[in-house]
Amino acid sequence: MGSKKTIDELKRQKDSIEARLWYHQNQLKALTSEEQGLERKARNHRIFTRGAMLESFLQNPLLLTDEQVYTILKVAFHRPEVGEMVRRLIEENVQQDENGDEPGEPL
C-alpha cells in the first residue's frame, strides 16, 4: 500500500506542476502580447512624429499627392551628401548604443 501512496503523491505533484506550467505559459502569452502592443505603439508614434516632421518642410503638403511626396523624398535622398550624412548619423548612434550612451540631438 505504501507504493500506492507514493504513486498518488507523484500524481498530485505532477498535477500541481502542470497547473503551474499552464499558469506560466499564459503569463508568457500575456507578456508577449503586451510587448507586441508596446512595440506597435512606439512604431506608430515614430511614424506619426516623422511624418509631421516631413510635412513641416513641405509647402502646402495637403496639395501634394503621396506619389509627389515620394518623388521629392527620392530626389532628396539620392543626393550623395544626404546619403553620407545618414550613414554618419547611423554610425554615431550605433557607436553610442555600444557605449551605452543616449543618441545625440538631431542636427
Side-chain angles (χ1 to χ4, degrees):
M1 192 87 173
S3 175
K4 177 116 167 103
K5 184 176 177 185
T6 304
I7 291 173
D8 288 341
E9 287 175 359
L10 289 175
K11 284 183 181 180
R12 280 194 300 275
Q13 186 178 8
K14 179 184 169 201
D15 290 343
S16 173
I17 290 171
E18 285 176 346
R20 288 191 309 205
L21 175 62
W22 179 84
Y23 170 79
H24 288 292
Q25 285 174 334
N26 285 330
Q27 285 291 102
L28 179 61
K29 285 180 190 176
L31 290 172
T32 300
S33 177
E34 185 178 351
E35 178 183 29
Q36 290 171 344
L38 290 172
E39 288 172 351
R40 185 173 42 257
K41 185 177 179 181
R43 179 178 183 273
N44 287 342
H45 176 75
R46 186 176 61 252
I47 289 170
F48 286 119
T49 300
R50 292 178 183 183
M53 288 177 193
L54 168 63
E55 280 199 349
S56 73
F57 288 99
L58 296 175
Q59 297 173 4
N60 297 317
L62 296 177
L63 298 178
L64 298 169
T65 67
D66 290 346
E67 187 175 297
Q68 290 168 330
V69 172
Y70 180 79
T71 300
I72 292 168
L73 290 171
K74 192 165 63 169
V75 169
F77 278 90
H78 275 85
R79 298 182 59 115
E81 62 271 16
V82 173
E84 180 57 37
M85 181 185 63
V86 170
R87 280 189 288 283
R88 183 176 47 81
L89 291 171
I90 290 171
E91 287 173 6
E92 288 175 6
N93 288 347
V94 167
Q95 186 177 16
Q96 288 173 346
D97 189 44
E98 289 172 353
N99 294 336
D101 299 332
E102 288 291 320
E105 288 294 315
L107 296 177

